[in-house]
Amino acid sequence: MKQIAPSILSADFSQLTEEIQKVEEAGADLIHLDVMDGHFVPNLTFGPPVIASIRKVTRLPFDVHLMIEKPERSIQAFVDAGSDFITVHAEAEIHLNRTIAFIKEKGLKAGVSINPATPLCLIEEIIRDIDLLMIMSVNPGFGGQIFIQNILEKIKKARNLIDEKAPDVLLEVDGGVNLENIRSLKEAGIDIFVAGSAVFKNKDYKQTIQSMKKILNDD
């Protein structure tokens, strides 16, 4: 089943509770949480305390994307905050197998993300150990960026890799997803579509999410 995960990076943080409740009512499947440390990426967002506070306002799964250096030092705090998925960057983690194993030992789904310029070969040896592979279709660090078109070929290769070696792994795309490109992303094999500005910069969240889902459900 194809899933929409609105990224609260593009939400109105002065009304975060209301924003999350609105996208849940609009038909979102997950809430995507972009955690940035100002080191791995040139921006700072939020950490476990914010995630713990908003955990109380929705039953939707939390898809936590750690764009931070040395993520292994912080995993337990994000587990305790109420995460359901925790995704770390292959570029930021030296002992990737150990971190993935730790996340799964805690009963969560474990994911690995790779940046646009990172080759797929970097994750081939761990593909069977993860639950989710996230392909970045923008350079991480800021919301509202334009989708990098040549990432479509990378997504197709990732789909083939998953189908061949680990068919239960979910394939996620993050960055620049909108109504104009979601069909081509679906055809390339994406399972989870992270949408930030495309949802939160429109007045009618329900219309946007349902329009996306209509495209995803079209045969």
Side-chain angles (χ1 to χ4, degrees):
M1 182 180 71
K2 307 295 186 183
Q3 297 179 296
I4 302 293
S7 170
I8 66 166
L9 185 64
S10 298
D12 182 348
F13 273 61
S14 70
Q15 302 181 60
L16 198 49
T17 293
E18 292 82 357
E19 293 276 73
I20 291 170
Q21 290 172 339
K22 283 165 67 176
V23 292
E24 181 174 11
E25 292 168 3
D29 301 293
L30 306 95
I31 299 294
H32 187 80
L33 301 160
D34 287 307
V35 178
M36 306 181 189
D37 63 358
H39 297 283
F40 181 68
V41 292
N43 198 5
L44 254 164
T45 54
F46 47 81
V50 170
I51 293 174
S53 68
I54 61 175
R55 178 68 282 177
K56 306 168 188 174
V57 305
T58 179
R59 294 183 178 181
L60 290 180
F62 277 1
D63 178 26
V64 178
H65 177 194
L66 300 185
M67 288 174 271
I68 63 177
E69 292 183 351
K70 298 180 172 62
E72 72 280 359
R73 298 180 178 181
S74 306
I75 297 296
Q76 185 62 56
F78 287 101
V79 171
D80 295 340
S83 307
D84 296 283
F85 291 79
I86 294 181
T87 295
V88 299
H89 269 262
E91 304 90 350
E93 182 56 82
I94 296 173
H95 303 292
L96 190 54
N97 287 87
R98 184 163 64 197
T99 298
I100 292 300
F102 182 78
I103 294 169
K104 296 179 80 168
E105 285 168 8
K106 297 298 177 179
L108 278 65
K109 300 292 186 182
V112 171
S113 181
I114 55 174
N115 287 335
T118 301
L120 277 171
C121 61
L122 193 66
I123 54 85
E124 283 187 22
E125 297 304 319
I126 201 169
I127 192 71
R128 292 184 176 94
D129 299 320
I130 63 178
D131 300 295
L132 180 148
L133 174 61
M134 180 190 296
I135 304 294
M136 293 301 301
S137 45
V138 299
N139 289 293
F142 299 95
Q145 297 186 68
I146 297 173
F147 183 87
I148 299 171
Q149 286 299 322
N150 62 13
I151 296 298
L152 271 174
E153 289 305 311
K154 186 178 187 178
I155 290 169
K156 292 174 184 177
K157 292 176 182 177
R159 180 77 264 165
N160 290 336
L161 176 67
I162 288 170
D163 290 345
E164 178 185 349
K165 294 190 174 183
D168 291 333
V169 170
L170 295 169
L171 184 57
E172 182 171 25
V173 63
D174 183 2
V177 176
N178 55 41
L179 282 165
E180 285 69 46
N181 61 26
I182 197 168
R183 186 181 298 278
S184 60
L185 290 167
K186 166 195 167 183
E187 292 169 352
I190 291 295
D191 299 303
I192 300 176
F193 303 76
V194 177
S197 298
V199 173
F200 288 105
K201 299 310 178 186
N202 281 297
K203 292 183 178 180
D204 193 333
Y205 299 168
K206 185 171 185 178
Q207 182 183 40
T208 302
I209 291 174
Q210 293 306 314
S211 294
M212 288 180 169
K213 288 198 167 189
K214 185 177 185 303
I215 294 171
L216 297 180
N217 291 326
D218 283 347
D219 294 329

